Amino acid sequence: LYLLANGPSINKTDLSELKNKTVMCMNRFYIKFNDLNFTPNYLVCIEETVLNQFSSDFSKLKIPTFVNWRVRDKVPNKLYLKEAFNITPFFQDDITKPANTGGTVTFMCLQLAAYMGFEKVVILGMDHSFKETGVAGKAEVRTYEKDESHFDPNYFPKGMVWVLPDLQKSEYSYGLANQYFIKN
């Protein structure tokens, strides 16, 4: 499985090699679909602020799309993931049960990949750095003219709300995923 993240480095990656591969992407990656010579197999978005602001975009997607169960009324007819609200992240390999987000949609994708039976996952475009600073997990209104933290300058346009990433929690969660895939 190739997992496409949304960092600026994805623009420096030759994605044409993925044409006949199984590809999962995240969040607003769909805005890059026209630049590809293929359509990814799956898209995952669990962040409610993203789903609420761009619900019409997600509703129109023609590929299997996994979204947060709590937005099922705004984004109907998709595949829904339930979130577990544990303080400490854990790796859930049975995604039919509530799963911990681990601070990032990427962690949810890794759990979904394990459930789907993928033994190897290659992540592309996960730069793991953001221009914006502040309180992790806090929703804030974008004030920058251009989004420099994602592959497209209009990924989160000025005035949109987004949640500042929790990189520490994400790193802990990636460690859990790594342990799971090595063990299994």
Side-chain angles (χ1 to χ4, degrees):
L1 174 70
Y2 290 88
L3 183 55
L4 302 181
N6 300 302
S9 68
I10 204 76
N11 290 327
K12 298 175 184 173
T13 307
D14 180 8
L15 299 177
S16 66
E17 298 290 323
L18 304 180
K19 185 173 184 172
N20 296 312
K21 308 288 184 192
T22 304
V23 177
M24 182 182 291
C25 58
M26 300 172 268
N27 295 338
R28 296 197 68 219
F29 196 90
Y30 58 83
I31 63 178
K32 195 163 184 65
F33 283 7
N34 288 338
D35 297 340
L36 303 174
N37 64 346
F38 66 94
T39 301
N41 303 82
Y42 309 100
L43 185 134
V44 180
C45 184
I46 55 168
E47 178 55 53
E48 288 181 75
T49 55
V50 175
L51 290 164
N52 285 326
Q53 292 176 106
F54 302 101
S55 60
S56 64
D57 293 350
F58 286 99
S59 294
K60 294 174 191 171
L61 293 174
K62 303 281 189 224
I63 64 171
T65 305
F66 296 85
V67 299
N68 191 316
W69 180 81
R70 289 191 304 274
V71 299
R72 65 194 179 283
D73 294 336
K74 280 195 161 194
V75 187
N77 303 314
K78 298 300 176 187
L79 301 161
Y80 301 106
L81 300 169
K82 283 195 173 185
E83 184 178 346
F85 293 100
N86 298 57
I87 293 172
T88 304
F90 64 93
F91 193 90
Q92 176 63 272
D93 61 353
D94 182 356
I95 208 74
T96 65
K97 298 176 183 173
N100 192 280
T101 66
T104 172
V105 65
T106 308
F107 186 61
M108 189 64 87
C109 289
L110 292 167
Q111 294 170 92
L112 184 58
Y115 177 75
M116 295 169 93
F118 292 100
E119 295 177 357
K120 183 177 181 182
V121 179
V122 176
I123 302 173
L124 302 169
M126 186 171 72
D127 298 2
H128 199 59
S129 63
F130 296 86
K131 180 178 180 177
E132 301 80 6
T133 58
V135 178
K138 182 180 178 190
E140 294 187 356
V141 175
R142 301 258 327 158
T143 58
Y144 294 95
E145 289 296 326
K146 290 184 190 177
D147 184 341
E148 296 180 37
S149 296
H150 296 91
F151 64 81
D152 187 289
N154 293 309
Y155 189 91
F156 282 124
K158 183 177 180 179
M160 299 306 292
V161 176
W162 86 307
V163 177
L164 291 168
D166 187 338
L167 297 180
Q168 250 185 319
K169 189 174 187 180
S170 297
E171 288 173 13
Y172 178 82
S173 301
Y174 297 144
L176 293 175
N178 188 48
Q179 289 171 9
Y180 177 86
F181 277 97
I182 288 171
K183 180 180 175 187
N184 295 286

